[in-house]
Amino acid sequence: MATPIKQVVIVGGGTAGWMSAASLIKYAQGKNLNITLIESTDIGTVGVGEATIPSIVQFNHQIGLDELNFIKATQATFKLGIQFEQWTTHKDAFFHPFSDYGLAVNNIPFHHYLNKLRHANIETELSDYSFSTVLAQENRFAQPHANPNTPLADYSYAYHFDAGLYANLLKQHATSQGVHHIDAKIEQVNCSTVTGFIESVTLTDGSQIKADLFVDCTGFKGILIEETLNTGYEDWSEWLLCDKAIAVQSQLVDSPAPYTRAIAHANGWQWRIPLQHRMGNGYIYASQFEQDDVAMDNMLTNITGDPSNQPKHFQFKPGRRKQIWNKNCFAIGLSSGFLEPIESTSISLIQSAITKLLEFFPDSDFNQHDISEVNRLHNAELEHIRDFIILHYKLSNRQDSEFWRYCQSMAIPETLAHKIALFESRGHIVLHEKESFEAASWLTMYNGFGVQPKRYDPRADAIDNEVLLQNLKQMQRSIRQAASQASSHQDFIFAHCKADN
Ligand code: FAD
């Protein structure tokens, strides 16, 4: 008979390890379940991963972090979306907001009406109907309002934060709730010769730590899930060519913007993530098209403020671990796979892996149906994100390098080709189970990259163009008016959550 498991060991003390620890210790309340986290501070963490998506707000709330204290402790700023610059020759820039556009009328999505107007040669600007885009353009910030009848209610936000400070905060939080913390290097992982399950890990001092369930948060290496269990990795570099990154911090020269900037270059792109005390910069590139020294030059000549640390180099293989749950090992974070950070999805994937672990938390029998379902759900989620990221490269019309020309001509997954074809036909946006990005995000990309439907949805004929234009004017006015009531992002931080130094 299956009995409850009693010991969980998390290996790794980066963002993934401490997010897992904080969640598991909450889950363990009232149960006979011990949580131990082993990390080697000598090895250290990846030290990047500072832009998030809105699900992080919910995560912090669930584990019991006070929002304003969290912001102060991690030098965080607010994030309303991502500004894409130079990704296409159609526009200098477009904004991917964490909000919807306009309002659906008669259950017909808003964009179908704009599409209808375009077919009548009446041009409109999609971004005018996104409250968070307007807020971002004006460098303002406000928290969503409780009153659903104002544009101030209908949007989400996320954060930029210092990854090291966030891990420290989670560590304090998790250990104060009862997580047992060991700072030591794991030298060996020991498996049962009968079942192949992991039985214990051996530390440098020779001591062995046993557990029923092991959570592998050891970063790219995947010491348990891969080096020990040989789970396998699915490589997606045929579609996602960027495989190297350089990150450097610099002094802040302006007040922090409430959004991430993603600036395209000839062979990759650059991020700017503003925190309260510094700017986080990074440069992601395809090493088959750009040498490391050229990439370094490109990055350093495109940052604002003096660099304040030594640049750090990263190499990665875009893709996923074939199973995030294998036997009694659950991989969370970089050990489970990695997709480049263009849409800041890694931390949200940590969160969603934790949610699945808690939902399907095993007994001693480790039910194979539970394991298969978690792997199925995770794989679907990652494939949708993969497709969304490939879209950024496939749809660009930049012709200035071999890299961009290759991206435009490459074959893409059938799932993505189908979605693009549906939109091109008459503006339909299809979403599948476990999609991280909603219709508004797909619409942003299609519109930003200049993809326009060949026809419009005839259901939009239900509203006359004149009436439509009047409604649009009214909508724009109320969005502008509501945005003008918000304070500047900087003033909001100073008033509510300024870090101590
Ligand atoms: P790590 O931080 O690498 O932690 C691994 C842990 O395992 C460490 O504590 C280490 O000490 C421990 N460990 C390893 N070996 C041993 C051993 N033998 N014994 C004991 N302990 C061991 N994500 C986002 O959401 N937004 C972003 O903007 C973003 N930007 C990124 C930019 C780059 C260039 C990269 C590479 C990643 C980015 N990510 C981003 C991803 C994000 O950084 C990670 O998802 C996040 O930091 C989690 O990392 P981790 O905890 O899995 O691994």
Side-chain angles (χ1 to χ4, degrees), residues 447-466:
N447 186 68
F449 283 110
V451 180
Q452 299 290 7
K454 293 187 185 71
R455 297 177 288 149
Y456 69 88
D457 187 327
R459 293 175 302 166
D461 281 333
I463 303 185
D464 175 74
N465 283 355
E466 278 309 310

Short mmCIF file of all heavy atoms in Angstrom, two decimals, residues 447-466:
data_model
loop_
_atom_site.label_atom_id
_atom_site.label_comp_id
_atom_site.label_asym_id
_atom_site.label_seq_id
_atom_site.Cartn_x
_atom_site.Cartn_y
_atom_site.Cartn_z
N ASN A 447 0.83 41.79 -35.29
CA ASN A 447 0.68 43.19 -35.66
C ASN A 447 2.04 43.89 -35.71
O ASN A 447 2.34 44.63 -36.64
CB ASN A 447 -0.24 43.87 -34.63
CG ASN A 447 -0.57 45.28 -35.01
OD1 ASN A 447 -1.28 45.52 -35.98
ND2 ASN A 447 -0.04 46.24 -34.26
N GLY A 448 2.87 43.62 -34.71
CA GLY A 448 4.19 44.25 -34.64
C GLY A 448 5.04 43.89 -35.86
O GLY A 448 5.78 44.72 -36.38
N PHE A 449 4.93 42.65 -36.30
CA PHE A 449 5.74 42.20 -37.43
C PHE A 449 5.04 42.45 -38.78
O PHE A 449 5.54 42.04 -39.82
CB PHE A 449 6.08 40.72 -37.29
CG PHE A 449 7.19 40.47 -36.29
CD1 PHE A 449 6.93 39.87 -35.08
CD2 PHE A 449 8.48 40.87 -36.57
CE1 PHE A 449 7.95 39.64 -34.16
CE2 PHE A 449 9.52 40.65 -35.66
CZ PHE A 449 9.25 40.04 -34.44
N GLY A 450 3.88 43.08 -38.73
CA GLY A 450 3.22 43.48 -39.98
C GLY A 450 2.46 42.37 -40.68
O GLY A 450 2.21 42.45 -41.88
N VAL A 451 2.07 41.31 -39.95
CA VAL A 451 1.27 40.25 -40.58
C VAL A 451 -0.20 40.69 -40.53
O VAL A 451 -0.72 40.99 -39.45
CB VAL A 451 1.42 38.91 -39.82
CG1 VAL A 451 0.58 37.82 -40.48
CG2 VAL A 451 2.87 38.50 -39.74
N GLN A 452 -0.84 40.74 -41.68
CA GLN A 452 -2.22 41.21 -41.73
C GLN A 452 -3.11 40.13 -42.35
O GLN A 452 -2.74 39.54 -43.36
CB GLN A 452 -2.34 42.48 -42.59
CG GLN A 452 -1.53 43.66 -42.07
CD GLN A 452 -2.09 44.24 -40.78
OE1 GLN A 452 -3.01 43.70 -40.19
NE2 GLN A 452 -1.53 45.35 -40.33
N PRO A 453 -4.29 39.91 -41.78
CA PRO A 453 -5.19 38.91 -42.37
C PRO A 453 -5.66 39.33 -43.77
O PRO A 453 -5.87 40.52 -44.03
CB PRO A 453 -6.38 38.89 -41.39
CG PRO A 453 -5.84 39.49 -40.13
CD PRO A 453 -4.80 40.47 -40.53
N LYS A 454 -5.82 38.31 -44.63
CA LYS A 454 -6.23 38.61 -46.02
C LYS A 454 -7.69 39.05 -46.08
O LYS A 454 -8.09 39.80 -46.95
CB LYS A 454 -6.06 37.36 -46.88
CG LYS A 454 -4.61 36.97 -47.05
CD LYS A 454 -4.47 35.82 -48.05
CE LYS A 454 -3.04 35.33 -48.13
NZ LYS A 454 -2.61 34.58 -46.93
N ARG A 455 -8.51 38.49 -45.17
CA ARG A 455 -9.94 38.85 -45.14
C ARG A 455 -10.28 39.29 -43.73
O ARG A 455 -9.44 39.19 -42.84
CB ARG A 455 -10.80 37.62 -45.45
CG ARG A 455 -10.60 37.05 -46.82
CD ARG A 455 -11.43 35.79 -47.00
NE ARG A 455 -10.94 34.67 -46.25
CZ ARG A 455 -11.71 33.70 -45.74
NH1 ARG A 455 -13.02 33.75 -45.88
NH2 ARG A 455 -11.18 32.69 -45.08
N TYR A 456 -11.50 39.74 -43.52
CA TYR A 456 -11.90 40.00 -42.13
C TYR A 456 -13.05 39.08 -41.76
O TYR A 456 -13.73 38.52 -42.63
CB TYR A 456 -12.23 41.48 -41.90
CG TYR A 456 -13.49 41.99 -42.56
CD1 TYR A 456 -14.72 41.90 -41.91
CD2 TYR A 456 -13.45 42.59 -43.81
CE1 TYR A 456 -15.88 42.39 -42.50
CE2 TYR A 456 -14.59 43.08 -44.41
CZ TYR A 456 -15.81 42.97 -43.76
OH TYR A 456 -16.95 43.44 -44.34
N ASP A 457 -13.24 38.93 -40.47
CA ASP A 457 -14.30 38.03 -39.97
C ASP A 457 -15.65 38.71 -40.20
O ASP A 457 -15.89 39.80 -39.66
CB ASP A 457 -14.04 37.79 -38.47
CG ASP A 457 -14.98 36.74 -37.91
OD1 ASP A 457 -16.13 36.66 -38.38
OD2 ASP A 457 -14.55 36.02 -36.99
N PRO A 458 -16.54 38.10 -41.00
CA PRO A 458 -17.81 38.77 -41.33
C PRO A 458 -18.69 39.07 -40.12
O PRO A 458 -19.57 39.92 -40.18
CB PRO A 458 -18.50 37.80 -42.29
CG PRO A 458 -17.74 36.53 -42.24
CD PRO A 458 -16.39 36.81 -41.67
N ARG A 459 -18.43 38.42 -39.01
CA ARG A 459 -19.23 38.72 -37.80
C ARG A 459 -19.03 40.17 -37.37
O ARG A 459 -19.87 40.76 -36.71
CB ARG A 459 -18.84 37.78 -36.65
CG ARG A 459 -19.21 36.33 -36.86
CD ARG A 459 -18.69 35.47 -35.73
NE ARG A 459 -17.24 35.57 -35.58
CZ ARG A 459 -16.55 35.14 -34.53
NH1 ARG A 459 -17.19 34.58 -33.52
NH2 ARG A 459 -15.24 35.25 -34.47
N ALA A 460 -17.88 40.76 -37.75
CA ALA A 460 -17.61 42.15 -37.37
C ALA A 460 -18.54 43.12 -38.09
O ALA A 460 -18.67 44.29 -37.69
CB ALA A 460 -16.16 42.50 -37.66
N ASP A 461 -19.23 42.66 -39.14
CA ASP A 461 -20.18 43.53 -39.85
C ASP A 461 -21.37 43.91 -38.98
O ASP A 461 -22.14 44.82 -39.33
CB ASP A 461 -20.69 42.82 -41.13
CG ASP A 461 -19.67 42.92 -42.25
OD1 ASP A 461 -18.88 43.89 -42.24
OD2 ASP A 461 -19.64 42.01 -43.10
N ALA A 462 -21.53 43.21 -37.86
CA ALA A 462 -22.65 43.52 -36.97
C ALA A 462 -22.60 44.98 -36.48
O ALA A 462 -23.61 45.54 -36.08
CB ALA A 462 -22.64 42.57 -35.78
N ILE A 463 -21.44 45.59 -36.52
CA ILE A 463 -21.36 47.00 -36.10
C ILE A 463 -20.92 47.85 -37.28
O ILE A 463 -19.92 47.57 -37.95
CB ILE A 463 -20.38 47.19 -34.93
CG1 ILE A 463 -20.79 46.29 -33.75
CG2 ILE A 463 -20.36 48.65 -34.49
CD1 ILE A 463 -19.98 46.48 -32.52
N ASP A 464 -21.67 48.90 -37.50
CA ASP A 464 -21.40 49.83 -38.58
C ASP A 464 -20.07 50.57 -38.34
O ASP A 464 -19.73 50.89 -37.19
CB ASP A 464 -22.58 50.82 -38.59
CG ASP A 464 -22.37 51.91 -39.58
OD1 ASP A 464 -22.49 51.63 -40.77
OD2 ASP A 464 -22.02 53.05 -39.13
N ASN A 465 -19.33 50.86 -39.40
CA ASN A 465 -18.01 51.50 -39.25
C ASN A 465 -18.07 52.83 -38.51
O ASN A 465 -17.19 53.15 -37.71
CB ASN A 465 -17.35 51.72 -40.61
CG ASN A 465 -16.80 50.41 -41.16
OD1 ASN A 465 -16.83 49.39 -40.45
ND2 ASN A 465 -16.31 50.42 -42.39
N GLU A 466 -19.11 53.63 -38.79
CA GLU A 466 -19.21 54.94 -38.13
C GLU A 466 -19.36 54.78 -36.63
O GLU A 466 -18.69 55.44 -35.83
CB GLU A 466 -20.42 55.71 -38.68
CG GLU A 466 -20.15 56.42 -39.98
CD GLU A 466 -18.89 57.28 -39.91
OE1 GLU A 466 -18.78 58.08 -38.96
OE2 GLU A 466 -18.01 57.13 -40.78
#
